[in-house]
Amino acid sequence: MEAATLRFGSICSPNQTKESQFSQKRLKSRLSCPPNYLIQKNNLNSNQISTVKPSRLDWRVGKSKCSSLEPKNTSGDANFGKDPRRKKLAIFVSGGGSNFRSIHEASIQGLVNGNVAVLVTDKPGCGGAVYARNSGIPIIVFPKSKLIPDGLLTEELLTVLRNFEIDFVLLAGFLKLIPVELVQAYPKSILNIHPSLLPAFGGKGFYGLKVHKAVIASGARYSGPTVHFVDEHYDTGRTLAQRVVPVLANDTPEDLAARVLHEEHQVYVETVAALCEDRIVWREDGVPLIRSRTNPDELS
């Protein structure tokens, strides 16, 4: 299913002021949604999108669900599905979005008790955005810039995320610094994955192959991905999970990147699954830990 950008020029309520109509159209014109759905009233909430035609995906803003792609319990968890409300996820990408795809596929397979409700990107032509369009996932362009004048402002992004009733924000290769306002609006609810063992080789400018080049040049014998909570700075939030891979003597940055990426796809899905199942616990010193799904006394 291919997502399409909605046009809102003729659907503002007649009792809106011109200023209000302009504000609503400005915000709505930058939200991509699956086809056959129209915003009918002033605000973007779950009661204001109606189905024009039956669709394989039964979408509601903030209450998206898959009617014919019902999640399957492939995890062997006896408690799977007992929580009737699947968490709503907003995923931010700037590139190919392979971690985004892994999380979305895990959601469909029932490995993650959550739905990808919306994709946020600063590069609407990137691979992650293409995948979202083909999957019928709404797309938001953020932030506004000279190159993308139709991007949302921070306050507009927060409004849309609230109307989608987003529970958790997941960064999957999003290269922009997250605004303080977003961090404050979602405390302990924003995760990022970084392709090194933080705090090493993290911070502004460390992304993609730059990370792996630096790791190899340092002589480090091990590397691997880190899943961490997001704060107001690059890569400084509390570490939640890591995986370790060897750095081989003849590795190129591409070799190491492929080895780390394989682990990223696994550890991010496992961590998001724990987040959606409320299995994150916080130690007294502020360190987050993951409670085992099968043994509640086991923390990692």
Side-chain angles (χ1 to χ4, degrees):
M1 177 182 294
E2 184 176 352
T5 301
L6 299 180
R7 297 186 181 278
F8 303 89
S10 61
I11 58 178
C12 292
S13 300
N15 60 348
Q16 282 184 285
T17 65
K18 290 184 178 180
E19 181 179 358
S20 176
Q21 289 181 14
F22 175 78
S23 177
Q24 289 294 333
K25 287 191 287 185
R26 182 173 181 270
L27 176 58
K28 294 172 185 175
S29 65
R30 284 171 270 166
L31 175 65
S32 295
C33 292
N36 302 331
Y37 290 85
L38 296 175
I39 304 296
Q40 293 192 322
K41 297 185 181 179
N42 302 350
N43 299 317
L44 289 168
N45 65 42
S46 60
N47 297 320
Q48 293 167 344
I49 285 188
S50 66
T51 308
V52 177
K53 297 180 181 178
S55 174
R56 187 167 68 91
L57 295 184
D58 181 14
W59 286 92
R60 299 291 186 273
V61 170
K63 295 184 178 180
S64 55
K65 59 182 180 181
C66 297
S67 56
S68 65
L69 296 176
E70 290 296 336
K72 302 174 183 178
N73 184 7
T74 60
S75 63
D77 181 14
N79 294 319
F80 179 86
K82 290 186 177 180
D83 179 0
R85 192 183 74 82
R86 289 165 63 80
K87 299 299 192 296
K88 300 177 182 70
L89 310 174
I91 301 187
F92 288 47
V93 304
S94 293
S98 65
N99 278 301
F100 158 45
R101 294 196 297 271
S102 294
I103 293 168
H104 180 243
E105 290 168 1
S107 170
I108 293 173
Q109 295 167 9
L111 300 175
V112 170
N113 188 33
N115 296 323
V116 179
V118 65
L119 181 87
V120 179
T121 183
D122 62 320
K123 297 182 179 179
C126 70
V130 171
Y131 176 86
R133 291 188 188 97
N134 292 337
S135 302
I137 297 171
I139 298 168
I140 295 172
V141 177
F142 171 83
K144 179 179 180 178
S145 66
K146 291 182 179 179
L147 294 177
I148 310 178
D150 287 335
L152 296 189
L153 301 172
T154 297
E155 61 184 22
E156 294 173 328
L157 174 65
L158 288 171
T159 296
V160 173
L161 294 181
R162 291 190 187 104
N163 286 325
F164 270 88
E165 299 179 356
I166 294 301
D167 295 294
F168 300 115
V169 172
L170 309 175
L171 310 186
F174 188 69
L175 301 182
K176 299 289 186 181
L177 185 65
I178 296 300
V180 173
E181 295 88 344
L182 182 58
V183 175
Q184 293 174 344
Y186 288 90
K188 296 182 179 179
S189 299
I190 306 178
L191 290 181
N192 181 46
I193 189 161
H194 184 78
S196 74
L197 296 173
L198 293 175
F201 309 105
K204 187 175 182 179
F206 278 100
Y207 61 89
L209 287 179
K210 293 182 179 181
V211 173
H212 307 297
K213 289 178 181 178
V215 170
I216 292 171
S218 75
R221 298 318 196 249
Y222 296 96
S223 189
T226 299
V227 179
H228 64 93
F229 282 95
V230 173
D231 59 16
E232 294 85 355
H233 308 287
Y234 284 109
D235 304 326
T236 58
R238 290 287 191 168
T239 295
L240 182 57
Q242 291 180 316
R243 293 290 186 273
V244 177
V245 302
V247 180
L248 305 182
N250 296 320
D251 267 346
T252 65
E254 291 79 8
D255 293 333
L256 182 56
R259 196 175 304 123
V260 171
L261 186 62
H262 179 268
E263 297 299 320
E264 286 184 36
H265 293 163
Q266 297 183 45
V267 69
Y268 212 3
V269 167
E270 293 171 7
T271 307
V272 172
L275 188 68
C276 290
E277 295 168 12
D278 299 320
R279 290 190 287 111
I280 308 300
V281 297
W282 292 81
R283 218 165 58 187
E284 290 184 0
D285 58 358
V287 172
L289 301 169
I290 298 176
R291 190 182 302 279
S292 169
R293 175 182 282 162
T294 56
N295 181 4
D297 294 327
E298 181 181 333
L299 300 175
S300 61

